[in-house]
Amino acid sequence: MSGLWLSIPAYIAFVFLVYHHYRYRGGLKPTLGFFGFALVYGIIRENVLFFLNPAYNLYGFVFPVDIWIGFAPLVVPVGWTFSAYTSWYLASMITGIDKPLRSRMPVVATLAGLISATISLIIEMPAVAALWWEWNFDPAQVVFFGGPEGLPILTLGGWAMTVGVFLFCYWAIAYHKTRWRYAGIAGIVFLFTWLVVVNTLLTV
């Protein structure tokens, strides 16, 4: 039951965000494009983490999660997609930049990444305290915020980089038919490479 207290509210909030994008930010096709792209990326990301080292994950759920796609708990890509879209929306509200034009993409993506880091702080700390999941790091390897049972500081940068780079890559691929698309694809490759390197360094 404890796992459902995590996943059900996340799914409900996700539906509201999908509706918000559909209603206020471009209609059906852009909505399916963004949320579909984000979910697929998140699912692939979690499965890659597992295949890198099946015996060791960077984090683990204390209670069973209800829906799995391969080795990816669905609530994880849903949660980080929630963070990405919310960060994008807040960044566009703060800057007044609604459309991710080429000259403005880095500005909005950087601010969205910083916002996502603050979201990670208010999610990760209570989630660990509520025993929804736990981080498998040795405090000697990674600095923790709040003690050994708290939040690895590494995750703040991880959320910021993942969301910021992902949004930049999505905009470059979805909104531009020039060489910016190649920059977007290269950024996705960079994210996965960074994931492999971090996972390797922390699981040796």
Side-chain angles (χ1 to χ4, degrees):
M1 185 62 183
S2 296
L4 294 178
W5 284 113
L6 167 66
S7 56
I8 290 177
Y11 298 149
I12 293 173
F14 183 81
V15 170
F16 278 106
L17 287 190
V18 171
Y19 175 75
H20 182 275
H21 190 288
Y22 169 75
R23 179 68 177 83
Y24 297 105
R25 301 182 74 86
L28 182 61
K29 186 175 179 180
T31 300
L32 293 178
F34 176 78
F35 286 97
F37 193 85
L39 283 176
V40 168
Y41 169 78
I43 291 168
I44 293 174
R45 180 181 184 275
E46 293 303 308
N47 277 281
V48 167
L49 271 175
F50 177 85
F51 281 110
L52 284 174
N53 193 340
Y56 184 98
N57 290 319
L58 298 178
Y59 60 90
F61 285 91
V62 179
F63 294 99
V65 184
D66 55 336
I67 300 175
W68 291 75
I69 300 177
F71 298 100
L74 182 59
V75 70
V76 173
V78 164
W80 97 262
T81 301
F82 178 95
S83 175
Y85 180 71
T86 303
S87 300
W88 171 15
Y89 180 72
L90 291 175
S92 65
M93 291 287 290
I94 292 171
T95 61
I97 301 173
D98 188 52
K99 294 184 178 180
L101 302 177
R102 276 175 282 185
S103 61
R104 298 176 174 182
M105 285 192 299
V107 175
V108 183
T110 299
L111 181 56
L114 295 175
I115 293 172
S116 181
T118 66
I119 293 175
S120 75
L121 181 63
I122 60 176
I123 290 178
E124 296 282 359
M125 291 293 286
V128 173
L131 299 179
W132 281 341
W133 63 76
E134 58 186 2
W135 286 95
N136 299 321
F137 290 119
D138 182 348
Q141 291 179 287
V142 178
V143 178
F144 276 69
F145 178 79
E149 301 301 324
L151 170 67
I153 296 298
L154 177 69
T155 63
L156 296 175
W159 279 55
M161 177 178 289
T162 298
V163 167
V165 175
F166 172 82
L167 287 174
F168 178 88
C169 294
Y170 170 74
W171 296 331
I173 294 171
Y175 289 92
H176 303 286
K177 298 180 179 180
T178 63
R179 60 181 178 272
W180 278 92
R181 283 191 171 183
Y182 297 106
I185 295 171
I188 294 294
V189 173
F190 165 78
L191 278 177
F192 275 100
T193 303
W194 173 78
L195 175 66
V196 171
V197 170
V198 170
N199 186 83
T200 301
L201 290 176
L202 293 177
T203 58
V204 171

